[in-house]
Amino acid sequence: MTATGIDFGTTNSVVAQWLGDDVDVLSLDAHHIDADWRHPGFEYLFPSVVGMSSLRRGALFGWEAKLRSEEAAEACKRLLKSDEYVTIHGRRFAATTVAAGVFQAMRKGAEHNLTAIDQAVITVPANATGAARYRTRAAARFAGIEVLALLNEPTAAAISYVHELREARTILVFDWGGGTIDVTVLDYQDGFFEELASRGVTELGGLEIDRRLRDLVLERAPARSAWTPAQERQFGLDVERSKIRLSSEESVTIRTPDGDTVEVWQGELEDAITDLVDRALAPVQQCLTDLHMAPLDVDAVLMIGGTSQIPSVRAAVAEVMQQQPVEVDLCDPMTAVARGASIAAAVLSGEADGVIQVATSHALGTVVTDDTGQRAFSQIIPRNSPLPWKERKSYTPRRDNARSLAVEIWEGDPDRPLDHADNVQLTDLRLIYQNPRVREDSRFLLEYTYDTNGLLHVKATLERTGEEVLNEEIKSFSSGGPTPAVRKELDDLLAGNTVTTLLPTQTRRRSAGSASKALVVDGSNLAWIGRSPRRPGVYGRDDRPSYAQLLSARDALASRYPDAVLHVVVDATFRHKVAEEERAAVDSALATGNLIQPPAGTEGKGDALVTAIAQDTDGIVVTNDNYTELQGRYPWLRDKERVLGATLTQGMWVFTPRTCVPPRHRIVRAETFQQSRALIPPSPHPLPEFRYHRPHEE
């Protein structure tokens, strides 16, 4: 098997493979890069993005997801520490699932390069939590990749650098990418790497700089209307691309969705991010302080990650370290981590010589409580301990005859208060006493064994008897989504089969073979639910339809039926009836096609257009109206499961199958009928015939 290294990044990922004496960086997805994104070296990047497009079934990945998605999930790597959920196309997926999808897509990209990724060394931030490391491994495993080891990103970059030089060195790696800043000091000698110290800041990276540049633009050209999600996404891409250009150009011009253009100069952005750069430099000083080192005790400074290439950032690091960083031709900021990971994979598989020694980035321990109830971090394995490492410590229960104890597993900084953001509870385990004893006889040794992959084994034995009362490897964590569900979620994400079991059974039969199902929403009807158009002024604001309420109904439908195509129809007068503060948003939705309306003055209002679209798309109508006048033309309105009713209760939408009630016919005396006819003049305008033409599908 080919020794493979994967730099799984917050913004972009890179894959490299060992070829026996050198490294090949794979171009996995270059054919999907648009011309305006073709910067030098970008052909090696695989954006860590999952997206959806109405033009394609299933998920998009890489450059397609980044540049062609109408909806996308980015920076899922940041969410792995707690496995938060992200919403894609109306459905929630655990961050582990999204990461697994990215790994799976990279595997397929490698196959297109006539190679395979069956096992790999995967890099993680030096300060990644144990939970994030575990979930990174799990995501790769679900994608079919055997993880040889998890390697800290700075260590991987240093391996790539010394591979060319093979000289004894003390190296400081300044790793600032899209999501985090990590600073690591390493020692290299005779093929042996040792991490001496590592410090960092999570959630401080290129994403934060993007926000500063966005704010600069909007200060000069505030949004004049509500932007659609697609417009917001495109604006975000323009901002990100402009940030990249400002590393090599004096100024850029950015256009907002409103059509305004703003010129931003390189110096302006540098001034706007001064405080972020200062925060990023703090870990440099912390590492030097930890090691009692002066800047010139460091032989080489490596700067990796896209954010580290901003000119003012390089200048600031050079000033602090009193030396110029290594040039990019000796340490490529975008590919060095993947290159180093592939060399490490070759070492671990016996294809290359060398020894790799890593260290803990956080202290590991538990929590103790004193007699006053005060809780504190009790360290067992110190920060910067070389891995693998085993350490144990003695503890005594606070009361006699305990049958069990909760042992909390923590990592972080014991010098900080327990509730500090740097301190994280990974999980808790249960210690069981088979025979309850007094406190002194219940005293136990708590032993932590931390391996090179960042996996922790916890064991507890009674001091008096040697009885084992706890023995577990940490394979689950107290926060986040259920990892066992990842396989099913991943299959749904890749195949796009997210709604089959949710649509009514009759509709599934009718729509068999079609790529998606249509839900035609009577928007005006849903916007009026719980409101009264007949008694204006009596209910205050409730005498108007609510566009916000309609949007909440649309979102609820998208969540329940994530594979359905939604057509939201409103009457021609809808924008005039909503509250004044909602009209701009309605105008924007009409302009972009997110809302559809018939021409003003048309008989039948929006109801006729709703039924015409449902007729042509074989879709389901969502309404509480009976469409009495339309049932003769569209008798299927009285079929089961062709209409969904909507109920809004306690802020929650409930959609249930219903049938439109047939028109009532009363028996009347002939003279009464004649009198009634005389009172109702015939309509000079017959009900119009609507035809809905679906857009051409490629």
Side-chain angles (χ1 to χ4, degrees), residues 604-615:
K605 301 181 181 178
D607 300 351
L609 183 55
V610 167
T611 47
I613 294 174
Q615 170 87 0

Side-chain angles (χ1 to χ4, degrees), residues 343-663:
I343 296 169
V347 170
L348 292 174
S349 60
E351 298 178 38
D353 296 331
V355 178
I356 299 172
Q357 174 71 69
V358 297
T360 60
S361 55
H362 302 83
L364 285 158
T366 188
V367 167
V368 294
T369 306
D370 62 23
D371 292 335
T372 67
Q374 186 72 27
R375 287 160 49 85
F377 193 122
S378 176
Q379 175 178 282
I380 297 177
I381 295 181
R383 169 196 286 271
N384 297 325
S385 297
L387 299 183
W389 190 264
K390 181 185 292 186
E391 196 78 52
R392 62 183 185 174
K393 197 170 184 178
S394 182
Y395 294 92
T396 304
R398 293 187 60 234
R399 58 186 176 86
D400 293 330
N401 300 314
R403 292 188 174 273
S404 66
L405 291 176
V407 179
E408 297 181 16
I409 312 300
W410 283 70
E411 69 176 1
D413 186 345
D415 296 329
R416 297 182 182 274
L418 187 63
D419 59 358
H420 190 276
D422 285 351
N423 292 322
V424 178
Q425 181 181 352
L426 299 180
T427 191
D428 56 71
L429 304 176
R430 181 62 57 177
L431 182 152
I432 303 295
Y433 291 102
Q434 297 295 334
N435 301 299
R437 299 172 172 85
V438 296
R439 292 178 66 242
E440 287 305 317
D441 289 347
S442 300
R443 189 173 180 84
F444 60 92
L445 288 171
L446 186 60
E447 181 179 276
Y448 283 10
T449 303
Y450 204 23
D451 68 19
T452 54
N453 295 321
L455 297 180
L456 180 65
H457 192 101
V458 178
K459 184 168 72 171
T461 55
L462 296 183
E463 285 189 354
R464 292 280 179 95
T465 66
E467 178 187 347
E468 191 175 276
V469 288
L470 173 64
N471 192 343
E472 287 193 41
E473 184 175 87
I474 307 301
K475 291 186 175 180
S476 62
F477 297 87
S478 55
S479 58
T483 299
V486 169
R487 169 49 58 192
K488 175 63 170 64
E489 282 191 354
L490 180 59
D491 291 342
D492 288 344
L493 179 64
L494 297 176
N497 298 328
T498 57
V499 75
T500 304
T501 61
L502 295 175
L503 285 174
T505 54
Q506 184 173 341
T507 303
R508 292 204 301 273
R509 290 195 297 272
R510 181 185 301 115
S511 302
S514 63
S516 56
K517 291 81 178 173
L519 292 176
V520 190
V521 181
D522 184 349
S524 295
N525 179 267
L526 269 59
W528 274 111
I529 287 178
R531 295 160 187 273
S532 176
R534 295 192 175 96
R535 301 182 66 186
V538 175
Y539 296 93
R541 292 283 301 277
D542 288 347
D543 61 0
R544 296 177 179 271
S546 167
Y547 181 50
Q549 180 171 294
L550 172 56
L551 289 179
S552 72
R554 181 203 64 186
D555 292 345
L557 283 165
S559 177
R560 184 174 176 187
Y561 308 115
D563 200 37
V565 175
L566 293 180
H567 304 271
V568 184
V569 180
V570 294
D571 293 337
T573 58
F574 180 74
R575 71 169 300 276
H576 302 291
K577 294 179 180 178
V578 299
E580 186 174 353
E581 57 267 25
E582 290 190 325
R583 288 176 189 169
V586 172
D587 287 340
S588 176
L590 290 168
T592 57
N594 290 329
L595 287 182
I596 313 168
Q597 65 178 8
T602 302
E603 280 195 49
K605 301 181 181 178
D607 300 351
L609 183 55
V610 167
T611 47
I613 294 174
Q615 170 87 0
D616 285 1
T617 62
D618 205 17
I620 298 172
V621 173
V622 184
T623 185
N624 289 347
D625 201 331
N626 274 326
Y627 291 173
T628 303
E629 300 86 352
L630 299 170
Q631 289 184 34
R633 178 177 301 167
Y634 303 110
W636 50 261
L637 286 166
R638 297 193 291 269
D639 292 348
K640 291 183 178 179
E641 297 181 340
R642 279 306 293 273
V643 180
L644 286 177
T647 303
L648 180 61
T649 173
Q650 300 296 319
M652 178 181 69
W653 285 96
V654 179
F655 302 99
T656 53
R658 63 181 292 267
T659 56
C660 290
V661 178

Side-chain angles (χ1 to χ4, degrees), residues 90-271:
R91 172 163 175 181
R92 296 199 319 162
F93 293 92
T96 303
T97 302
V98 178
V102 174
F103 281 120
Q104 179 93 318
M106 287 192 284
R107 280 194 75 195
K108 290 185 176 180
E111 291 172 3
H112 293 156
N113 280 263
L114 304 179
T115 186
I117 305 175
D118 297 312
Q119 55 181 214
V121 168
I122 298 176
T123 62
V124 292
N127 288 279
T129 65
R133 292 170 188 270
Y134 172 80
R135 293 190 179 103
T136 300
R137 176 185 286 274
R141 185 177 70 247
F142 282 118
I145 300 173
E146 178 190 350
V147 182
L148 294 174
L150 296 177
L151 183 65
N152 288 349
E153 291 162 1
T155 303
I159 290 172
S160 175
Y161 170 64
V162 301
H163 175 69
E164 304 294 336
L165 302 178
R166 302 188 183 277
E167 298 176 1
R169 293 259 158 157
T170 298
I171 302 167
L172 182 142
V173 181
F174 184 90
D175 178 7
W176 202 9
T180 60
I181 168 65
D182 283 306
V183 177
T184 302
V185 179
L186 308 100
D187 188 65
Y188 172 74
Q189 190 167 358
D190 297 328
F192 183 87
F193 274 98
E194 182 181 1
E195 288 185 11
L196 303 177
S198 182
R199 292 279 187 166
V201 181
T202 59
E203 299 195 11
L204 177 61
L207 298 176
E208 280 66 40
I209 294 177
D210 289 350
R211 294 190 190 105
R212 293 293 175 88
L213 180 54
R214 185 183 193 275
D215 291 344
L216 274 179
V217 174
L218 294 182
E219 283 175 6
R220 301 175 191 177
R224 299 196 303 270
S225 61
W227 298 344
T228 66
Q231 289 174 319
E232 285 277 8
R233 174 155 182 76
Q234 185 57 53
F235 182 51
L237 288 172
D238 292 343
V239 167
E240 181 186 355
R241 188 173 65 250
S242 298
K243 175 196 68 177
I244 294 168
R245 290 174 54 199
L246 281 172
S247 289
S248 58
E249 301 177 25
E250 288 189 2
S251 69
V252 295
T253 299
I254 304 173
R255 187 180 183 88
T256 74
D258 291 324
D260 298 324
T261 58
V262 174
E263 185 176 19
V264 179
W265 294 80
Q266 186 183 88
E268 291 178 306
L269 178 60
E270 291 177 348
D271 289 343

Side-chain angles (χ1 to χ4, degrees), residues 52-64:
M52 291 286 182
S53 169
S54 60
L55 302 178
R56 290 273 301 276
R57 181 174 175 80
L60 304 178
F61 296 91
W63 285 107
E64 270 198 302

